[in-house]
Each structure stands twice: as C-alpha cells, then as structure tokens.
C-alpha cells in the first residue's frame, strides 16, 4: 500500500521547493530580527520585549547615556588582535585598553615569549563624572572596535558610544615594525554628557613581570623613571620598598624593567602626575613572578568640554640605540650612572663596544675593550709605582728624621714634608692618579649590567653575559651568595688577590707608620683578603660580562706592573734624580706655604704651653 501510494517525483520536487521556501523565509526573518536588534538605539527600546525594556532601564539607571554602549553587539569580553612585525597586540572590548603586548623577537631566560602586558598585570582606566551626577570608569564599559588602514599604518579605534555620532575614543595608530605607537584619547559630542568641571583622570597600573634568571638582580634595575621640569630633569622612584611622588610638567614616564620598558610619552607636558612604585619582591623564594607594581595618575586636559589628549606608547627593549631614534631623550631612562660616569658611558664605552661587537663576538669584544682601556690608563699605574719607588728610596732618610725628632712629632712632620717637597716625592702623588680610575671603574660597573647587546649572548661557559654564569648548582641557598657557583667571579677574585698582594707589599714597604696615625700596613693586609672575598660573594649574582671585565683587567694590571717594575723603573736612577732634586732650590706653592705656616704656628703654641707649665 505504501509503495502504491508513494508520491511521484514531481510531487517530491514540489514539496522540497516548498520546504526550502519556508526555511529561506525563516532565515530572512531571523536575519531581519537580528538587524533590527543591532540597529535599535536606546530610544527605540520602548518597542522591544518587556525583558529587554527592563534591562535597558536598569542600564540607564546605572550608566545614564552610556547605557547605549552596553546594547551593542560589541558588549562582550572579546579582543581584537593586531600584529606589526615586532609586536602582537590585543585590545579588549571591555575597557578599550591594550590587554596584551607580546614582543615577537624576544624570549625570557627560560625561552618563554615575553609579554610586557597581559590581562592579569595591567589596568588602564579613565574615571569621570557625568552631567547627571554619575561617576563612571571606562574599565567597566564596553568599547566598539574597528580596524582600518592609514597608509602602511594600522589604526585600531575603540569607541565608547553614547550614540553613533557621540563617543569617547581610544585611537591606536600602529606603525609597521616599530615599538612606538601613537595613542589618542578624544571625545566627540560629549560636552553635555561628561562633566568637565571635574577632572577626567587617567589611572594606569602595571605589575612588571619577571624575565631574567635572577628576580632580585632584575628587580635592582626595575624602576619608574620620568622626565619633567621642561625636559630638564630625569628622576626615579625608589629602588626598594614603596615610594610616591607628585611631579609637574611630566614629559614621559617609563615603567622600566631591566631590559624592557613600557613608556608613555605626552605630546604636551602632563601638568601634574602622581607616581607610585611598590616593590613586590620581599622573598626571592616566594615572590617569583612579578618584580614591582607601578602606577600613574593624572588628569587629562579638556577644551570646550571635549577631551583631546595626544600620547605615544612604547613597548620594547631598553636599548639605547632603539630609544635614541625617537628623539625624546628616552635613552636617559637607562641607568648609565650620574654626572661624569654617565657621560663616559654614553660618549665612550657604548660607541666603543658597539664598534667592537660589530666585528667580533661579544665576549671577545669585552676582552679587547678591556685591553684598550688598560693601555690608556697604564700611565696611571706608572705614576703610582713611580711614587712608591720614590718613597722606598726616601724611607731611610724619613726614618732618620723620625728618630731624630721622636720627642717632637710636629717638627718631625715639618721635616718630613720639607724632604718630600725637595725630593719631589709625596704619598699624594701616588693617590691622585689612582683617583682618576674611579670614574672609569664606576662607569663600567654601570655599563655591563645595562648593556642590552649582552643579553642572552654566550661566551665560553656563560650562557648569558648579561646574567651570572653557572658552573655548579647548590642544593641549598647561601645568604648573599646564592644557590649556584659562578666561575668568572672566582677567576676575578683570584686575579685581584694576586694583584693586591703584589701592590700592597710595595706600599707597606714604602709607607712608614706615622706617629698618632693608624697602622696602614694592618689595614692593607686585611684588604688583601677582604677585596677578593667581596668580589667572590657580591658578583656571584651579577652579570658575567662584568666579572669577565674585572678578571681580564686585573690580569693586564699584573702584567703592566711587572713590566714597569722590571723593565722601566730603576731605583738607582730614581735615587740619583732625587738627590739632584734635593740640591735644587724648591719653591713652595700657596698650599704648601699655608701648611708650613700652620705647622709653625702650632709649634710655637706648643712651646709657649710648655713654658707656662714650667
């Protein structure tokens, strides 16, 4: 019966066509319904369902005119992703801010991609009052994203809408293969919505994520740095603990991590900014993820009731070469040292190292630079050893003076100074050249830990010249030393020990003990052992490139010292020259005359006191 009554092919085709028409009509109605829903404005919601009307009423009561933004399809927690070659950026619909920034060309010490920003470590919020007496925060509101092109640049527009033509916009213009982007905060048609008689405040927080092998070492170079006072001053918040400052006329502020920075640059100086820093590393064994928490708060400038703030955002390496390209003095955020020390680094060591490393490996470049520096400073060592040799030659005569005037210490000092002046020998003549090395020493101490070029560069057994080398891991942690053994600090400590052993022996032989003065020989003996131990412990956590420099530097110093003592200086000739100098009439400079007069007056006062006692 079923077979006999089955529909004919023509009937099946007609039924199928009818079904398709029904389905097409349903789809068209559904699409129309969605379109009508998407295009519905706050004023149209009187025609929607009762549930939607109640929802809109609740939103209006809570958000006022900004309730419209929550009715749009973009009112979800979606993100918009954009790449420019060096950065991968994600923008959150909720809040309209950059919720993730990945550096495409870098990884951390554990080969994990570097994210300067992720959704867990940042907050970017505008807080403002409305004309209907509401206080709102953009971090709670939904922005509508659009991505367009402006030539080769990619423009991401995040709009917080009151209507289709009235909105608050975050506009990001992203340049190809560039770590800097243009960032504009502007409003359109909101002069009757936002109450600009009260401040529109920007609050930007960032917890800096660990990227280095040692979190405490990275934390030492992680600081909030800023330029202010009409581009005349660079200041920093405290390196440790909590710190807070309110500064005026701020041009830029940098959330600097050791080798990476997040920087906000203002086209017009920020009138007043509150800057906050909090150290998050209290215990290195427990606090292993974040180093510091930074926060900046400042009011946006308004004109005719509208916001129009032009800024720039930088997410990238703390590399002086890259930062210098932007002509904003951003490279000044790198701690090269203050005053002359920073000048030496910027004018000499950075260009020199850059030149050398372009022709050879970074480890060899450190060695070659060290050799060049020691050759230039070899005259300082010569002056020191010459002074020591002169003092050794004069020692018998100085001892005779002290023996002759053993009961008159003041007279002994006068005669000692007179002899040294005639002979052209003075302990200060050996100290002053040594002081010339301090700026170089400190400049290099600041250069190696901050040299971005050394990051993750291998040399011999060191995997990273910007971090400590490891030849053995310890099953326990030694206070101040760490849980590992670094070889470069050991080599540097051994070299320092032998160098000091050789030099302090000569100094002790040439520096007789002065009456009433501390015994310098004992102090020098202690320093022979204390300095290498300090190097061994302190530099176990420091950049291996710095320890390599000290090792090579002290080896070269030992070599220079042996050459000067054995092949250049002749104590017999020095003695003969001293005798010639003593025979010549010697004029005293004003300082020497003043010292002689003071000592003479002191001697006269002493004699007068002795007469009164008698």
């Amino acid at each position: 019966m079923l077979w006999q009554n089955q529909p004919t092919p023509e009937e099946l085709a007609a039924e199928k066509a009818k079904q398709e028409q029904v389905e097409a009509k349903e789809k068209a109605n559904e699409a129309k319904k969605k379109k009508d829903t998407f295009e519905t404005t706050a004023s149209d919601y009187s025609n929607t369902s009762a549930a939607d009307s109640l929802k809109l009423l609740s939103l209006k009561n809570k958000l006022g005119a900004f309730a419209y933004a929550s009715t749009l399809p973009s009112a979800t927690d979606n993100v918009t992703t954009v790449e420019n070659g060096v950065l991968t950026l994600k923008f959150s619909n909720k809040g309209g801010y950059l919720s993730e920034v990945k550096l495409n060309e870098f990884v951390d010490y554990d080969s994990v991609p570097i994210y300067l920003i992720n959704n867990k470590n940042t907050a970017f919020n505008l807080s403002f009052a409305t004309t209907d007496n509401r206080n709102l925060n953009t971090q709670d509101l939904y922005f509508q994203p659009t991505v367009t092109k402006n030539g080769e640049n990619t423009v991401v527009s995040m709009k917080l809408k009151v209507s289709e033509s009235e909105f608050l916009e975050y506009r990001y213009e992203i340049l190809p293969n560039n770590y800097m982007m243009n960032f504009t905060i502007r409003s359109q048609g909101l002069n009757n919505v936002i109450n600009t008689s009260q401040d529109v405040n920007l609050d930007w927080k960032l917890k800096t994520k660990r990227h280095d092998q040692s979190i405490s070492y990275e934390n030492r170079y992680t600081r909030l740095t800023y330029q202010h006072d009409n581009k005349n001053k660079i200041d920093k918040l405290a390196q440790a603990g909590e710190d807070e400052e309110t500064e005026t006329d701020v041009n830029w502020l940098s959330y600097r991590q050791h080798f990476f920075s997040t920087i906000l640059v203002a086209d017009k100086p920020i009138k007043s900014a509150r800057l906050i820093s909090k150290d998050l590393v209290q215990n290195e064994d427990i606090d292993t993820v974040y180093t510091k928490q930074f926060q900046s708060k400042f009011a946006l400038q308004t004109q005719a009731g509208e916001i129009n703030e032009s800024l720039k955002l930088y997410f990238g390496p703390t590399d002086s070469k890259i930062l210098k390209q932007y002509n904003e003095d951003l490279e000044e955020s790198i701690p090269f040292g203050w005053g002359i020390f920073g000048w030496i680094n910027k004018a000499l060591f950075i260009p020199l190292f850059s030149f050398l490393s372009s022709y050879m490996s970074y480890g060899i470049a450190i060695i070659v630079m060290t050799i060049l520096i020691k050759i230039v400073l070899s005259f300082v060592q010569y002056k020191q050893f010459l002074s020591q040799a002169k003092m050794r030659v004069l020692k018998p005569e100085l001892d005779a003076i002290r023996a002759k005037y053993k009961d008159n210490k003041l007279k002994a000092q006068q005669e000692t100074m007179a002899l040294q002046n005639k002979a052209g020998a003075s302990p200060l003549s050996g100290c002053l050249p040594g002081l010339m090395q301090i700026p170089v020493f400190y400049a290099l101490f600041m250069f190696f830990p901050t040299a971005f070029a050394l990051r993750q560069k291998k040399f011999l057994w060191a995997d990273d010249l910007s971090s400590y080398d490891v030849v053995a891991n310890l099953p326990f942690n030694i206070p101040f030393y760490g849980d590992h053994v670094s070889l470069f600090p050991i080599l540097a400590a051994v070299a320092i020990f032998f160098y000091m052993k050789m030099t302090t022996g000569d100094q002790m032989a040439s520096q007789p003990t002065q009456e009433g003065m501390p015994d310098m020989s004992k102090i020098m003996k202690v320093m022979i052992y204390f300095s290498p131990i300090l190097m061994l412990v302190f530099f176990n956590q420091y950049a291996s490139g710095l320890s390599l420099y000290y090792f090579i530097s002290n080896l070269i110093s030992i070599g220079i010292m042996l050459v000067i003592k054995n092949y250049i200086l002749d104590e017999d000739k020095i003695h003969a020259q001293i005798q010639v100098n003593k025979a010549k009439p010697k004029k005293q400079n004003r300082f020497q005359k003043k010292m002689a007069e003071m000592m003479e007056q002191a001697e006269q006062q002493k004699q007068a006191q002795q007469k009164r006692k008698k």
Side-chain angles (χ1 to χ4, degrees):
M1 183 184 67
L2 292 173
W3 176 77
Q4 286 180 345
N5 292 290
Q6 66 181 339
T8 63
E10 292 77 10
E11 290 175 335
L12 287 172
E15 183 66 25
K16 184 178 179 183
K18 184 179 178 181
Q19 184 65 29
E20 287 177 352
Q21 287 178 358
V22 171
E23 290 177 356
K25 187 175 181 180
E26 288 177 352
K27 287 181 180 180
N29 290 336
E30 187 178 349
K32 186 175 184 301
K33 183 179 179 181
K34 286 183 179 179
K35 182 179 179 183
D36 291 342
T37 301
F38 293 163
E39 292 178 351
T40 300
T41 64
S43 60
D44 294 327
Y45 256 73
S46 58
N47 299 321
T48 61
S49 66
D52 288 338
S53 298
L54 290 173
K55 180 181 177 182
L56 178 61
L57 182 61
S58 175
L59 289 172
K60 280 186 174 182
N61 290 334
K62 183 179 179 181
L63 305 176
F66 288 97
Y68 174 69
S70 297
T71 69
L72 300 175
S74 57
T76 61
D77 291 340
N78 290 342
V79 296
T80 301
T81 303
V82 173
E83 291 191 37
N84 74 339
V86 294
L87 299 173
T88 298
L89 308 166
K90 290 186 178 181
F91 303 85
S92 172
N93 285 11
K94 189 175 183 179
Y97 68 106
L98 262 169
S99 59
E100 187 174 286
V101 176
K102 175 189 172 186
L103 301 182
N104 296 337
E105 298 179 343
F106 302 100
V107 294
D108 67 9
Y109 72 100
D110 207 21
S111 300
V112 175
I114 287 181
Y115 291 86
L116 290 185
I117 289 179
N118 60 46
N119 204 33
K120 298 178 181 178
N121 76 329
T122 189
F124 189 93
N125 178 54
L126 281 188
S127 59
F128 55 89
T130 62
T131 52
D132 54 359
N133 298 319
R134 289 179 173 83
N135 293 309
L136 300 180
N137 295 287
T138 57
Q139 64 187 7
D140 302 323
L141 305 176
Y142 290 97
F143 288 66
Q144 188 175 57
T146 57
V147 180
T148 57
K149 282 286 187 178
N150 181 15
E152 293 184 349
N153 300 342
T154 301
V155 177
V156 177
S157 172
M158 306 294 291
K159 291 181 179 179
L160 175 60
K161 292 185 174 181
V162 169
S163 70
E164 287 303 311
S165 60
E166 298 170 315
F167 50 80
L168 173 68
E169 180 186 27
Y170 294 164
R171 185 180 187 275
Y172 305 86
E173 185 168 358
I174 303 151
L175 288 65
N177 297 305
N178 202 309
Y179 296 105
M180 184 83 81
M181 68 182 72
N182 297 319
F183 175 50
T184 304
I185 303 174
R186 74 181 189 95
S187 66
Q188 179 176 300
L190 301 186
N191 54 329
N192 293 322
V193 177
I194 295 177
N195 184 1
T196 54
S197 64
Q198 299 182 36
D199 287 339
V200 179
N201 294 308
L202 188 152
D203 187 359
W204 180 33
K205 299 177 184 177
L206 182 68
K207 287 199 296 185
T208 53
K209 198 172 185 298
R210 170 194 184 176
H211 302 305
D212 287 2
Q213 187 171 218
S214 169
I215 192 169
S216 60
Y217 182 63
E218 179 178 9
N219 196 35
R220 188 179 296 127
Y221 294 95
T222 299
R223 298 181 76 174
L224 196 161
T225 310
Y226 55 97
Q227 184 189 68
H228 63 111
D229 193 22
N230 197 26
K231 299 186 177 183
N232 291 320
K233 289 184 180 179
I234 305 289
D235 280 319
K236 306 176 182 68
L237 295 190
Q239 188 180 58
E242 296 186 26
D243 194 13
E244 180 178 335
E245 292 287 346
T246 299
E247 294 290 355
T248 58
D249 296 326
V250 177
N251 299 98
W252 53 255
L253 54 94
S254 170
Y255 293 170
R256 170 170 57 80
Q257 296 170 249
H258 188 189
F259 284 125
F260 300 96
S261 292
T262 302
I263 306 174
L264 184 146
V265 183
D267 281 6
K268 296 179 181 179
I270 299 167
K271 289 184 177 180
S272 179
R274 183 183 173 202
L275 310 174
I276 303 168
S277 174
K278 182 180 180 182
D279 193 348
L280 301 179
V281 183
Q282 305 301 320
N283 185 328
E284 188 174 350
D285 296 328
I286 300 173
D287 305 318
T288 60
V289 179
Y290 298 106
T291 52
K292 283 189 173 69
Q293 178 171 296
F294 297 134
Q295 185 175 5
S296 304
K297 296 181 178 181
F298 57 89
L300 302 183
Q301 299 180 33
T302 58
Q303 293 179 349
E306 299 285 1
I307 303 167
N308 191 1
E309 191 82 40
S310 296
L311 307 165
K312 293 184 180 71
L313 294 172
Y314 175 88
F315 303 97
T318 311
D319 185 347
S320 61
K321 283 184 182 178
I322 295 174
L323 293 175
K324 204 168 185 178
Q325 297 173 1
Y326 299 108
N327 297 318
E328 297 281 358
D329 299 327
L330 300 180
E331 68 277 7
E332 297 295 332
S333 66
I334 303 174
F336 288 131
W338 54 271
I340 189 174
F341 311 114
W343 182 87
I344 291 173
N345 271 327
K346 287 179 280 189
L348 180 61
F349 293 144
I350 293 175
L352 176 60
F353 186 77
S354 178
F355 172 76
L356 293 174
S357 60
S358 63
Y359 292 98
M360 57 194 74
S361 72
Y362 288 90
I364 299 299
I366 291 175
I367 294 173
V368 172
M369 187 169 82
T370 306
I371 293 171
L372 293 175
I373 292 169
K374 295 305 294 184
I375 289 174
V376 171
L377 294 177
S378 59
F379 80 95
V380 174
Q381 280 188 275
Y382 172 76
K383 288 288 186 182
Q384 287 178 303
F385 294 137
L386 178 62
S387 174
Q388 292 173 9
K390 287 181 178 180
M391 295 302 295
R392 280 196 302 273
V393 170
L394 284 178
K395 190 174 184 299
E397 295 182 60
L398 295 173
D399 290 341
I401 290 173
R402 277 186 288 276
K404 181 178 179 180
Y405 298 103
K406 61 181 180 180
D407 296 327
N408 192 337
K409 297 174 184 177
L410 196 58
K411 185 66 175 176
Q413 290 177 352
Q414 285 180 315
E415 292 298 321
T416 297
M417 289 180 62
L419 175 61
Q420 291 173 344
N421 185 42
K422 286 182 180 180
S426 170
L428 288 178
S429 62
C431 296
L432 292 176
L435 293 175
M436 295 175 61
Q437 297 184 79
I438 292 178
V440 175
F441 175 89
Y442 183 75
L444 288 168
F445 177 78
M446 298 300 294
F447 168 75
F448 285 106
T450 57
F452 185 85
L454 293 179
R455 184 178 182 272
Q456 296 182 345
K457 298 301 188 298
K458 296 183 178 181
F459 182 67
L460 299 178
W461 57 85
D463 293 327
D464 186 348
L465 286 169
S466 71
S467 184
Y468 54 78
D469 63 290
V470 180
V471 293
N473 288 302
L474 302 175
F476 48 82
N477 185 72
I478 302 175
F480 303 108
Y481 185 75
D483 59 358
H484 65 276
V485 176
S486 298
L487 184 54
F488 275 128
I490 295 174
L491 296 175
V494 171
I496 287 175
F497 173 77
F498 283 106
Y499 176 69
M500 294 192 70
K501 190 82 173 173
M502 297 168 71
T503 55
T504 53
D506 292 339
Q507 290 176 356
M508 287 186 286
S510 62
Q511 298 285 346
T513 303
Q514 297 281 346
E515 292 290 338
M517 299 294 288
D519 189 350
M520 293 303 296
S521 63
K522 292 182 179 179
I523 297 175
M524 289 179 180
K525 285 179 181 178
V526 171
M527 291 302 296
I528 290 175
Y529 298 96
F530 178 74
S531 295
I533 291 173
L534 187 66
M535 164 63 73
L536 188 67
V537 174
F538 184 70
F539 283 83
N540 194 60
Q541 302 273 4
Y542 251 74
S544 54
L546 183 62
S547 300
L548 172 62
Y549 160 74
Y550 285 132
F551 170 55
I552 300 299
S553 177
N554 282 283
L555 283 183
I556 297 171
S557 294
I558 291 172
I560 291 174
M561 180 180 64
L562 292 173
V563 170
I564 291 173
K565 289 178 66 176
N566 296 325
Y567 298 100
I568 298 177
L569 293 180
D570 186 333
E571 290 194 5
D572 292 334
K573 290 182 178 179
I574 292 172
H575 184 269
Q577 184 61 46
I578 285 176
Q579 300 308 315
V580 172
N581 291 343
K582 286 165 62 177
K584 293 179 181 178
K586 191 75 174 180
K587 290 184 178 180
Q588 291 182 325
N589 58 39
R590 280 197 290 179
F591 175 75
Q592 291 170 330
K593 286 181 180 179
K594 189 67 175 177
M595 286 294 296
E597 289 174 2
M598 290 172 64
M599 294 179 74
E600 186 66 33
Q601 291 174 2
E603 177 67 19
Q604 291 174 0
Q605 290 176 358
K606 184 178 179 180
Q607 291 176 358
Q609 288 175 354
Q610 289 175 346
K611 286 182 180 179
R612 285 197 294 271
K613 286 181 181 179
K614 290 180 181 179

